[in-house]
Amino acid sequence: MVLVAFSIFIARYDQFRLTEIRVSGHQTVAPAPIEKIAAADLAGSYFLIFPRNNRWLYPKKKIEFDLKSSFDHLAGVSFAIKKKTLFIRVSERQP
């Protein structure tokens, strides 16, 4: 019981939550739509307990899938986290 309570506390602790999204590597796509998709995927929680914007629990695969589905010309998506910021680096296919 104590372990569960501690896990919930750590998952909800403000220092481990992603509060900012930054996009780089974009050439033809504006960063705003990419940030919007990522923010939507980070909203909410798992099982109404664990926030999706936790730095260890964020849905990396879902964000990548949603971005590639929305922008066909994206070749790759990579992620990095520094403090409370999620950095998304996209690479576009060359014509």
Coordinates of all heavy atoms in Angstrom, one line a residue:
M1 N 0.8 -1.2 0.0 CA 0.0 0.0 0.0 C 0.9 1.3 0.0 O 0.6 2.2 -0.7 CB -0.9 0.0 1.2 CG -1.7 1.2 1.4 SD -3.3 0.9 0.8 CE -4.1 2.3 1.4
V2 N 1.9 1.2 0.8 CA 2.8 2.4 0.9 C 3.5 2.6 -0.5 O 3.7 3.7 -0.9 CB 3.8 2.2 2.0 CG1 4.9 3.3 2.0 CG2 3.1 2.2 3.3
L3 N 3.9 1.5 -1.1 CA 4.6 1.6 -2.4 C 3.7 2.2 -3.5 O 4.1 3.0 -4.3 CB 5.1 0.2 -2.8 CG 5.8 0.1 -4.1 CD1 7.1 1.0 -4.0 CD2 6.2 -1.3 -4.5
V4 N 2.4 1.8 -3.5 CA 1.4 2.3 -4.4 C 1.3 3.8 -4.2 O 1.3 4.6 -5.1 CB 0.1 1.6 -4.3 CG1 -1.0 2.3 -5.1 CG2 0.2 0.2 -4.7
A5 N 1.1 4.2 -2.9 CA 1.0 5.6 -2.6 C 2.2 6.4 -3.0 O 2.1 7.5 -3.6 CB 0.7 5.8 -1.1
F6 N 3.4 5.9 -2.8 CA 4.6 6.6 -3.1 C 4.7 6.7 -4.7 O 5.1 7.7 -5.2 CB 5.8 5.8 -2.6 CG 7.1 6.4 -2.9 CD1 7.5 7.6 -2.3 CD2 8.0 5.9 -3.8 CE1 8.7 8.2 -2.5 CE2 9.2 6.5 -4.1 CZ 9.6 7.7 -3.5
S7 N 4.3 5.6 -5.4 CA 4.3 5.7 -6.9 C 3.4 6.8 -7.4 O 3.8 7.5 -8.3 CB 3.9 4.3 -7.4 OG 4.8 3.3 -7.1
I8 N 2.3 6.9 -6.8 CA 1.3 7.9 -7.3 C 1.9 9.3 -6.9 O 1.8 10.2 -7.8 CB -0.1 7.7 -6.6 CG1 -0.7 6.4 -7.1 CG2 -1.0 8.9 -6.8 CD1 -1.9 6.0 -6.4
F9 N 2.4 9.5 -5.8 CA 3.0 10.8 -5.4 C 4.1 11.1 -6.4 O 4.2 12.3 -6.8 CB 3.6 10.7 -4.0 CG 4.3 11.9 -3.6 CD1 3.7 13.1 -3.3 CD2 5.7 11.9 -3.5 CE1 4.4 14.2 -2.9 CE2 6.5 13.0 -3.2 CZ 5.8 14.2 -2.9
I10 N 5.0 10.2 -6.7 CA 6.2 10.5 -7.6 C 5.6 10.8 -9.0 O 6.1 11.7 -9.6 CB 7.2 9.3 -7.6 CG1 7.9 9.2 -6.3 CG2 8.1 9.5 -8.8 CD1 8.7 10.4 -5.9
A11 N 4.6 10.1 -9.4 CA 4.1 10.3 -10.8 C 3.5 11.7 -10.9 O 3.5 12.3 -12.0 CB 3.1 9.2 -11.1
R12 N 2.9 12.1 -9.8 CA 2.2 13.4 -9.9 C 3.1 14.6 -9.4 O 2.6 15.7 -9.5 CB 0.9 13.4 -9.0 CG -0.1 12.5 -9.5 CD -1.4 12.5 -8.7 NE -2.5 12.0 -9.5 CZ -3.2 12.6 -10.4 NH1 -3.0 13.9 -10.6 NH2 -4.2 12.0 -11.0
Y13 N 4.3 14.3 -8.9 CA 5.2 15.3 -8.5 C 5.5 16.3 -9.6 O 5.8 15.9 -10.7 CB 6.4 14.7 -7.9 CG 7.4 15.7 -7.2 CD1 6.9 16.4 -6.1 CD2 8.7 15.8 -7.6 CE1 7.8 17.3 -5.5 CE2 9.5 16.7 -7.0 CZ 9.1 17.4 -5.9 OH 9.9 18.2 -5.2
D14 N 5.3 17.6 -9.3 CA 5.4 18.6 -10.4 C 6.8 18.7 -11.1 O 6.8 18.9 -12.3 CB 5.1 20.0 -9.7 CG 5.0 21.1 -10.8 OD1 4.2 20.9 -11.7 OD2 5.7 22.1 -10.7
Q15 N 7.8 18.3 -10.4 CA 9.2 18.4 -11.0 C 9.3 17.3 -12.1 O 10.2 17.4 -12.9 CB 10.2 18.2 -10.0 CG 10.3 19.4 -9.0 CD 10.6 20.7 -9.7 OE1 11.4 20.8 -10.6 NE2 9.9 21.7 -9.3
F16 N 8.5 16.3 -12.1 CA 8.6 15.2 -13.1 C 7.6 15.3 -14.2 O 7.4 14.4 -15.0 CB 8.5 13.9 -12.4 CG 9.5 13.6 -11.4 CD1 9.2 13.1 -10.1 CD2 10.9 13.9 -11.6 CE1 10.2 12.9 -9.2 CE2 11.8 13.7 -10.7 CZ 11.5 13.1 -9.4
R17 N 6.9 16.4 -14.3 CA 5.8 16.6 -15.3 C 6.3 17.5 -16.4 O 7.0 18.5 -16.1 CB 4.6 17.2 -14.6 CG 4.2 16.4 -13.4 CD 2.8 15.9 -13.2 NE 1.7 16.1 -14.0 CZ 0.5 16.4 -13.5 NH1 0.4 16.6 -12.3 NH2 -0.5 16.4 -14.3
L18 N 6.0 17.2 -17.6 CA 6.4 18.0 -18.8 C 5.4 19.1 -18.9 O 4.2 18.9 -19.0 CB 6.4 17.1 -20.0 CG 7.3 15.9 -19.9 CD1 7.1 14.9 -21.1 CD2 8.8 16.3 -19.9
T19 N 5.9 20.3 -18.9 CA 5.1 21.5 -19.0 C 5.3 22.3 -20.3 O 4.5 23.2 -20.6 CB 5.3 22.4 -17.8 OG1 6.7 22.8 -17.8 CG2 4.9 21.7 -16.5
E20 N 6.3 22.0 -21.1 CA 6.6 22.7 -22.3 C 7.0 21.8 -23.4 O 7.6 20.7 -23.1 CB 7.8 23.7 -22.0 CG 8.0 24.7 -23.0 CD 9.1 25.8 -22.7 OE1 9.4 25.9 -21.5 OE2 9.6 26.4 -23.6
I21 N 6.7 22.2 -24.6 CA 7.0 21.4 -25.8 C 7.8 22.3 -26.8 O 7.3 23.4 -27.0 CB 5.8 20.8 -26.5 CG1 5.0 19.9 -25.5 CG2 6.2 20.0 -27.7 CD1 3.6 19.5 -26.0
R22 N 8.9 21.8 -27.2 CA 9.7 22.6 -28.3 C 9.9 21.7 -29.4 O 10.3 20.5 -29.3 CB 11.0 23.0 -27.7 CG 10.8 24.0 -26.5 CD 11.7 25.2 -26.6 NE 11.5 26.1 -25.5 CZ 12.4 26.8 -25.0 NH1 13.7 26.6 -25.3 NH2 12.1 27.6 -24.0
V23 N 9.8 22.2 -30.6 CA 10.0 21.4 -31.9 C 11.1 22.0 -32.7 O 11.3 23.2 -32.8 CB 8.7 21.5 -32.7 CG1 8.8 20.8 -34.0 CG2 7.5 21.0 -31.9
S24 N 11.9 21.1 -33.2 CA 13.0 21.5 -34.1 C 13.1 20.6 -35.3 O 12.5 19.5 -35.3 CB 14.4 21.5 -33.3 OG 14.7 20.2 -32.9
G25 N 13.9 21.0 -36.3 CA 14.1 20.2 -37.5 C 13.0 20.4 -38.5 O 13.1 19.8 -39.6
H26 N 12.0 21.2 -38.3 CA 10.9 21.3 -39.2 C 11.3 22.3 -40.3 O 12.1 23.3 -40.1 CB 9.7 21.9 -38.5 CG 9.9 23.1 -37.7 ND1 9.8 24.3 -38.2 CD2 10.3 23.3 -36.4 CE1 10.1 25.2 -37.3 NE2 10.4 24.6 -36.2
Q27 N 10.9 22.0 -41.5 CA 11.2 22.9 -42.6 C 9.9 23.4 -43.3 O 9.8 24.6 -43.5 CB 12.1 22.2 -43.7 CG 13.5 21.9 -43.1 CD 14.3 21.1 -44.0 OE1 13.9 20.6 -45.1 NE2 15.6 20.9 -43.7
T28 N 9.1 22.5 -43.7 CA 7.8 22.8 -44.4 C 6.6 22.9 -43.4 O 5.6 23.4 -43.8 CB 7.5 21.9 -45.5 OG1 7.4 20.5 -45.0 CG2 8.6 21.9 -46.6
V29 N 6.7 22.3 -42.3 CA 5.6 22.2 -41.3 C 5.9 23.3 -40.2 O 7.0 23.3 -39.7 CB 5.5 20.8 -40.7 CG1 4.4 20.8 -39.7 CG2 5.3 19.8 -41.7
A30 N 4.9 24.0 -39.9 CA 5.0 25.0 -38.8 C 5.1 24.2 -37.5 O 4.5 23.1 -37.3 CB 3.9 25.9 -38.8
P31 N 5.8 24.7 -36.5 CA 5.9 23.9 -35.2 C 4.5 23.9 -34.4 O 4.3 23.0 -33.6 CB 6.9 24.7 -34.4 CG 7.0 26.1 -35.0 CD 6.6 25.9 -36.4
A32 N 3.7 24.9 -34.6 CA 2.4 24.9 -33.8 C 1.5 23.7 -34.0 O 1.1 23.1 -32.9 CB 1.6 26.2 -34.2
P33 N 1.3 23.1 -35.2 CA 0.5 21.9 -35.3 C 1.2 20.7 -34.6 O 0.5 19.9 -34.0 CB 0.3 21.7 -36.8 CG 0.7 23.0 -37.4 CD 1.6 23.7 -36.5
I34 N 2.5 20.6 -34.7 CA 3.2 19.5 -34.0 C 3.0 19.6 -32.5 O 2.8 18.6 -31.8 CB 4.7 19.5 -34.5 CG1 4.8 19.3 -36.0 CG2 5.5 18.5 -33.6 CD1 6.2 19.4 -36.5
E35 N 3.2 20.8 -32.0 CA 3.0 21.1 -30.6 C 1.6 20.7 -30.1 O 1.4 20.2 -29.0 CB 3.4 22.5 -30.2 CG 4.9 22.8 -30.4 CD 5.1 24.3 -30.3 OE1 4.2 25.1 -30.1 OE2 6.3 24.7 -30.3
K36 N 0.6 21.1 -30.9 CA -0.8 20.8 -30.6 C -1.1 19.3 -30.5 O -1.7 18.9 -29.6 CB -1.7 21.5 -31.6 CG -3.1 21.4 -31.3 CD -4.0 22.2 -32.3 CE -5.4 22.1 -32.0 NZ -6.3 22.7 -33.0
I37 N -0.6 18.6 -31.4 CA -0.8 17.1 -31.4 C -0.1 16.5 -30.2 O -0.7 15.7 -29.5 CB -0.2 16.5 -32.7 CG1 -1.2 16.9 -33.9 CG2 -0.1 15.0 -32.6 CD1 -0.6 16.5 -35.2
A38 N 1.1 16.9 -29.9 CA 1.9 16.4 -28.8 C 1.2 16.8 -27.5 O 1.0 15.9 -26.6 CB 3.3 16.9 -28.8
A39 N 0.7 18.0 -27.4 CA 0.0 18.5 -26.2 C -1.3 17.7 -25.9 O -1.6 17.3 -24.8 CB -0.3 19.9 -26.2
A40 N -2.0 17.4 -27.0 CA -3.2 16.6 -26.9 C -2.9 15.2 -26.4 O -3.7 14.6 -25.6 CB -3.9 16.5 -28.2
D41 N -1.8 14.6 -26.9 CA -1.4 13.2 -26.4 C -0.9 13.2 -25.0 O -1.0 12.2 -24.3 CB -0.3 12.7 -27.4 CG -0.9 12.3 -28.7 OD1 -2.1 12.1 -28.9 OD2 -0.1 12.1 -29.6
L42 N -0.4 14.4 -24.5 CA 0.1 14.4 -23.1 C -1.0 14.8 -22.1 O -0.8 14.6 -20.9 CB 1.2 15.5 -23.0 CG 2.5 15.2 -23.7 CD1 3.4 16.4 -23.6 CD2 3.2 14.0 -23.0
A43 N -2.2 15.2 -22.6 CA -3.3 15.5 -21.7 C -3.9 14.3 -21.1 O -3.9 13.2 -21.7 CB -4.3 16.3 -22.5
G44 N -4.4 14.4 -20.0 CA -5.1 13.3 -19.3 C -4.2 12.5 -18.5 O -3.1 12.8 -18.1
S45 N -4.7 11.3 -18.1 CA -3.9 10.4 -17.3 C -4.3 8.9 -17.6 O -5.3 8.6 -18.2 CB -4.3 10.7 -15.8 OG -5.6 10.5 -15.6
Y46 N -3.4 8.0 -17.1 CA -3.7 6.6 -17.2 C -4.4 6.2 -16.0 O -4.0 6.5 -14.9 CB -2.3 5.8 -17.3 CG -1.4 6.2 -18.4 CD1 -0.3 6.9 -18.2 CD2 -1.8 5.8 -19.7 CE1 0.6 7.2 -19.3 CE2 -0.9 6.1 -20.8 CZ 0.2 6.8 -20.6 OH 1.1 7.1 -21.6
F47 N -5.5 5.5 -16.2 CA -6.3 5.0 -15.1 C -6.8 6.0 -14.1 O -7.0 5.8 -12.9 CB -5.6 3.9 -14.3 CG -5.0 2.8 -15.2 CD1 -3.6 2.7 -15.3 CD2 -5.8 2.0 -15.9 CE1 -3.1 1.7 -16.1 CE2 -5.2 1.0 -16.7 CZ -3.9 0.9 -16.8
L48 N -6.9 7.3 -14.6 CA -7.3 8.4 -13.7 C -6.3 8.7 -12.6 O -6.6 9.4 -11.6 CB -8.7 8.3 -13.2 CG -9.8 8.1 -14.3 CD1 -11.1 7.8 -13.6 CD2 -9.9 9.3 -15.1
I49 N -5.1 8.1 -12.6 CA -4.2 8.3 -11.5 C -2.8 8.8 -12.0 O -2.3 9.8 -11.4 CB -3.9 6.9 -10.8 CG1 -5.2 6.4 -10.2 CG2 -2.9 7.0 -9.8 CD1 -5.1 5.0 -9.7
F50 N -2.2 8.2 -13.0 CA -0.9 8.6 -13.5 C -1.0 9.5 -14.6 O -1.5 9.2 -15.7 CB -0.1 7.3 -13.9 CG 0.0 6.3 -12.7 CD1 -0.7 5.2 -12.7 CD2 0.9 6.6 -11.7 CE1 -0.6 4.3 -11.7 CE2 1.1 5.7 -10.7 CZ 0.3 4.5 -10.7
P51 N -0.5 10.7 -14.5 CA -0.6 11.7 -15.6 C 0.3 11.3 -16.8 O 1.4 10.8 -16.6 CB 0.0 13.0 -14.9 CG 0.7 12.6 -13.8 CD 0.2 11.3 -13.3
R52 N -0.3 11.5 -18.0 CA 0.4 11.2 -19.2 C 1.6 12.1 -19.4 O 2.5 11.8 -20.2 CB -0.5 11.3 -20.4 CG -1.5 10.3 -20.5 CD -2.4 10.5 -21.7 NE -3.6 9.6 -21.6 CZ -3.7 8.4 -22.2 NH1 -2.7 8.0 -23.0 NH2 -4.8 7.7 -22.1
N53 N 1.6 13.3 -18.8 CA 2.8 14.2 -19.0 C 3.9 14.0 -18.0 O 4.8 14.8 -17.9 CB 2.3 15.7 -19.0 CG 1.8 16.1 -17.6 OD1 1.6 15.3 -16.7 ND2 1.5 17.4 -17.5
N54 N 3.9 12.9 -17.4 CA 5.0 12.5 -16.5 C 6.2 12.2 -17.4 O 6.1 11.5 -18.4 CB 4.7 11.3 -15.6 CG 5.8 10.9 -14.7 OD1 6.8 10.3 -15.2 ND2 5.7 11.2 -13.5
R55 N 7.4 12.6 -17.0 CA 8.6 12.4 -17.9 C 8.9 11.0 -18.2 O 9.6 10.7 -19.1 CB 9.8 13.2 -17.3 CG 10.3 12.6 -16.0 CD 11.5 13.3 -15.4 NE 12.5 13.5 -16.4 CZ 13.3 14.6 -16.6 NH1 13.0 15.6 -15.9 NH2 14.2 14.6 -17.4
W56 N 8.5 10.0 -17.3 CA 8.8 8.6 -17.5 C 7.6 7.9 -18.1 O 7.8 6.7 -18.6 CB 9.2 7.9 -16.2 CG 10.5 8.5 -15.7 CD1 11.7 8.3 -16.3 CD2 10.7 9.2 -14.6 NE1 12.7 8.9 -15.6 CE2 12.1 9.5 -14.5 CE3 9.9 9.7 -13.6 CZ2 12.7 10.3 -13.5 CZ3 10.5 10.4 -12.6 CH2 11.9 10.7 -12.5
L57 N 6.4 8.5 -18.1 CA 5.2 7.8 -18.5 C 4.6 8.3 -19.8 O 3.6 7.9 -20.3 CB 4.2 7.8 -17.4 CG 4.5 7.2 -16.1 CD1 3.4 7.4 -15.1 CD2 4.9 5.7 -16.3
Y58 N 5.2 9.4 -20.4 CA 4.6 10.0 -21.5 C 4.5 9.1 -22.7 O 5.4 8.2 -22.9 CB 5.3 11.3 -21.9 CG 6.6 11.2 -22.6 CD1 6.7 11.3 -24.0 CD2 7.8 10.9 -21.9 CE1 7.9 11.2 -24.7 CE2 9.0 10.8 -22.6 CZ 9.0 10.9 -24.0 OH 10.2 10.8 -24.6
P59 N 3.4 9.2 -23.5 CA 3.2 8.2 -24.6 C 4.0 8.5 -25.9 O 3.5 9.0 -26.9 CB 1.7 8.4 -24.9 CG 1.4 9.8 -24.5 CD 2.3 10.1 -23.4
K60 N 5.3 8.2 -25.8 CA 6.2 8.4 -26.9 C 5.8 7.8 -28.2 O 5.7 8.5 -29.3 CB 7.6 7.9 -26.5 CG 8.7 8.2 -27.5 CD 10.0 7.5 -27.3 CE 10.6 7.8 -25.9 NZ 11.9 7.3 -25.7
K61 N 5.4 6.6 -28.2 CA 5.0 5.9 -29.4 C 3.7 6.5 -30.0 O 3.6 6.6 -31.2 CB 4.8 4.4 -29.2 CG 6.0 3.7 -28.7 CD 6.8 3.3 -29.9 CE 8.0 2.4 -29.5 NZ 9.1 2.4 -30.4
K62 N 2.8 6.9 -29.2 CA 1.5 7.5 -29.6 C 1.8 8.8 -30.3 O 1.2 9.2 -31.3 CB 0.5 7.6 -28.5 CG -0.8 8.2 -29.0 CD -1.9 8.1 -27.9 CE -3.2 8.8 -28.3 NZ -3.5 8.9 -29.6
I63 N 2.6 9.6 -29.7 CA 3.0 10.9 -30.3 C 3.6 10.7 -31.6 O 3.3 11.4 -32.6 CB 3.9 11.8 -29.3 CG1 3.2 12.1 -28.0 CG2 4.4 13.0 -30.0 CD1 4.0 12.7 -26.9
E64 N 4.6 9.8 -31.7 CA 5.3 9.6 -32.9 C 4.3 9.1 -34.0 O 4.3 9.6 -35.2 CB 6.4 8.5 -32.8 CG 7.1 8.2 -34.0 CD 8.3 7.2 -33.8 OE1 8.5 6.8 -32.6 OE2 9.0 6.9 -34.7
F65 N 3.4 8.2 -33.7 CA 2.4 7.6 -34.6 C 1.5 8.8 -35.1 O 1.2 8.9 -36.3 CB 1.6 6.5 -34.0 CG 0.5 6.0 -34.8 CD1 0.8 5.1 -35.8 CD2 -0.8 6.4 -34.6 CE1 -0.3 4.6 -36.7 CE2 -1.8 6.0 -35.4 CZ -1.6 5.0 -36.5
D66 N 1.0 9.6 -34.1 CA 0.0 10.7 -34.5 C 0.7 11.7 -35.4 O 0.1 12.2 -36.3 CB -0.5 11.3 -33.3 CG -1.5 10.4 -32.5 OD1 -1.9 9.4 -33.1 OD2 -1.8 10.7 -31.4
L67 N 2.0 12.0 -35.1 CA 2.7 13.0 -36.0 C 2.9 12.4 -37.4 O 2.7 13.1 -38.4 CB 4.0 13.4 -35.3 CG 3.9 14.2 -34.1 CD1 5.3 14.5 -33.5 CD2 3.2 15.6 -34.4
K68 N 3.3 11.2 -37.5 CA 3.6 10.6 -38.8 C 2.3 10.4 -39.6 O 2.3 10.5 -40.8 CB 4.3 9.3 -38.7 CG 5.8 9.5 -38.3 CD 6.5 8.2 -38.3 CE 8.0 8.4 -38.0 NZ 8.8 7.1 -38.0
S69 N 1.2 10.2 -38.9 CA -0.1 10.0 -39.5 C -0.6 11.3 -40.0 O -1.3 11.4 -41.1 CB -1.1 9.4 -38.5 OG -0.8 8.1 -38.2
S70 N -0.4 12.4 -39.3 CA -0.9 13.7 -39.6 C 0.0 14.4 -40.7 O -0.5 15.2 -41.5 CB -0.9 14.6 -38.4 OG -1.8 14.1 -37.5
F71 N 1.3 14.1 -40.7 CA 2.2 14.7 -41.7 C 2.9 13.6 -42.4 O 3.9 13.0 -41.9 CB 3.2 15.6 -40.9 CG 2.5 16.6 -40.1 CD1 2.5 16.5 -38.7 CD2 1.9 17.8 -40.6 CE1 1.9 17.4 -37.9 CE2 1.3 18.7 -39.8 CZ 1.3 18.5 -38.5
D72 N 2.4 13.3 -43.6 CA 3.0 12.2 -44.4 C 4.4 12.3 -44.8 O 5.1 11.3 -45.0 CB 2.2 12.0 -45.7 CG 0.7 11.5 -45.4 OD1 0.5 10.9 -44.3 OD2 -0.1 11.8 -46.3
H73 N 4.9 13.5 -44.8 CA 6.3 13.7 -45.3 C 7.3 13.7 -44.1 O 8.5 14.0 -44.4 CB 6.4 15.1 -46.1 CG 5.9 16.2 -45.3 ND1 4.6 16.5 -45.2 CD2 6.6 17.2 -44.6 CE1 4.4 17.6 -44.4 NE2 5.6 18.0 -44.1
L74 N 6.9 13.3 -42.9 CA 7.9 13.2 -41.9 C 8.6 11.8 -42.0 O 7.9 10.8 -42.1 CB 7.2 13.3 -40.5 CG 6.7 14.6 -40.0 CD1 6.1 14.5 -38.6 CD2 7.7 15.7 -40.1
A75 N 9.9 11.9 -42.0 CA 10.7 10.6 -42.1 C 11.0 10.1 -40.7 O 11.0 8.9 -40.5 CB 12.0 10.9 -42.8
G76 N 11.1 10.9 -39.7 CA 11.5 10.5 -38.4 C 11.1 11.5 -37.3 O 11.0 12.7 -37.6
V77 N 10.9 10.9 -36.1 CA 10.6 11.8 -34.9 C 11.4 11.2 -33.8 O 11.5 10.0 -33.5 CB 9.1 11.7 -34.6 CG1 8.8 12.5 -33.4 CG2 8.2 12.1 -35.7
S78 N 12.1 12.1 -33.1 CA 12.9 11.7 -31.9 C 12.6 12.7 -30.8 O 12.1 13.8 -31.0 CB 14.4 11.7 -32.2 OG 14.8 13.0 -32.6
F79 N 12.8 12.2 -29.6 CA 12.4 12.9 -28.4 C 13.6 13.0 -27.4 O 14.5 12.2 -27.3 CB 11.3 12.2 -27.6 CG 10.1 11.9 -28.4 CD1 9.9 10.7 -29.1 CD2 9.1 12.9 -28.5 CE1 8.8 10.5 -29.9 CE2 8.0 12.7 -29.3 CZ 7.8 11.5 -30.0
A80 N 13.6 14.1 -26.7 CA 14.6 14.4 -25.6 C 13.9 15.2 -24.5 O 13.0 15.9 -24.8 CB 15.8 15.1 -26.1
I81 N 14.3 15.0 -23.3 CA 13.7 15.7 -22.2 C 14.8 16.4 -21.4 O 15.8 15.8 -21.1 CB 12.9 14.7 -21.3 CG1 11.8 14.1 -22.0 CG2 12.5 15.5 -20.0 CD1 11.0 13.1 -21.2
K82 N 14.6 17.6 -21.2 CA 15.5 18.4 -20.3 C 14.7 19.2 -19.4 O 13.8 20.0 -19.8 CB 16.4 19.3 -21.2 CG 17.6 19.8 -20.5 CD 18.4 20.7 -21.5 CE 19.7 19.9 -21.8 NZ 20.6 20.6 -22.5
K83 N 14.8 18.9 -18.1 CA 14.0 19.5 -17.0 C 12.6 19.2 -17.3 O 12.2 18.1 -17.3 CB 14.4 21.0 -16.8 CG 15.8 21.2 -16.4 CD 16.0 22.6 -16.0 CE 17.5 22.8 -15.6 NZ 17.8 24.1 -15.2
K84 N 11.8 20.2 -17.5 CA 10.3 20.0 -17.7 C 9.9 20.3 -19.1 O 8.7 20.5 -19.4 CB 9.6 21.0 -16.8 CG 9.9 20.7 -15.3 CD 9.3 21.8 -14.4 CE 7.9 21.6 -14.2 NZ 7.3 22.4 -13.2
T85 N 10.9 20.2 -20.1 CA 10.6 20.4 -21.5 C 10.8 19.2 -22.3 O 11.8 18.5 -22.2 CB 11.5 21.5 -22.0 OG1 11.4 22.7 -21.2 CG2 11.2 21.9 -23.5
L86 N 9.8 18.9 -23.2 CA 9.9 17.8 -24.1 C 10.3 18.4 -25.4 O 9.7 19.3 -26.0 CB 8.5 17.1 -24.3 CG 8.4 16.1 -25.4 CD1 9.3 14.9 -25.0 CD2 7.0 15.6 -25.5
F87 N 11.5 18.0 -25.9 CA 12.0 18.4 -27.2 C 11.7 17.4 -28.2 O 12.0 16.2 -28.1 CB 13.5 18.6 -27.1 CG 14.0 19.7 -26.2 CD1 14.2 19.5 -24.9 CD2 14.1 21.0 -26.8 CE1 14.6 20.6 -24.1 CE2 14.5 22.1 -26.0 CZ 14.7 21.8 -24.6
I88 N 11.0 17.8 -29.3 CA 10.6 16.9 -30.4 C 11.4 17.4 -31.6 O 11.3 18.5 -32.0 CB 9.1 17.0 -30.7 CG1 8.3 16.6 -29.4 CG2 8.8 16.1 -31.9 CD1 6.8 16.8 -29.6
R89 N 12.2 16.4 -32.1 CA 13.0 16.7 -33.4 C 12.4 15.9 -34.5 O 12.3 14.7 -34.4 CB 14.4 16.4 -33.2 CG 15.3 16.6 -34.4 CD 16.7 16.7 -34.1 NE 17.6 17.0 -35.2 CZ 17.7 18.1 -35.8 NH1 17.0 19.2 -35.4 NH2 18.4 18.3 -36.9
V90 N 12.0 16.6 -35.5 CA 11.4 15.9 -36.7 C 12.4 16.0 -37.9 O 13.1 17.0 -38.0 CB 10.0 16.5 -37.1 CG1 9.0 16.3 -36.0 CG2 10.1 18.0 -37.4
S91 N 12.3 15.0 -38.7 CA 13.1 15.0 -39.9 C 12.1 14.8 -41.1 O 11.3 13.9 -40.9 CB 14.2 14.0 -39.9 OG 13.8 12.7 -39.7
E92 N 12.2 15.5 -42.1 CA 11.3 15.4 -43.2 C 12.0 14.7 -44.4 O 13.2 14.7 -44.6 CB 10.9 16.8 -43.7 CG 10.2 17.6 -42.6 CD 9.7 19.0 -43.0 OE1 9.7 19.3 -44.2 OE2 9.4 19.8 -42.1
R93 N 11.1 14.0 -45.2 CA 11.6 13.3 -46.3 C 12.0 14.3 -47.4 O 11.4 15.3 -47.6 CB 10.5 12.4 -46.9 CG 10.1 11.2 -46.1 CD 9.2 10.3 -46.8 NE 9.0 9.1 -46.0 CZ 7.9 9.0 -45.3 NH1 6.9 9.9 -45.3 NH2 7.8 7.9 -44.5
Q94 N 13.1 13.9 -48.1 CA 13.6 14.8 -49.2 C 12.9 14.4 -50.5 O 12.7 13.2 -50.7 CB 15.1 14.7 -49.3 CG 15.9 15.1 -48.1 CD 15.6 16.5 -47.7 OE1 15.5 17.4 -48.5 NE2 15.5 16.8 -46.4
P95 N 12.4 15.4 -51.3 CA 11.7 15.0 -52.5 C 12.6 14.4 -53.6 O 13.8 14.5 -53.5 CB 11.2 16.4 -53.0 CG 11.9 17.4 -52.3 CD 12.5 16.8 -51.0

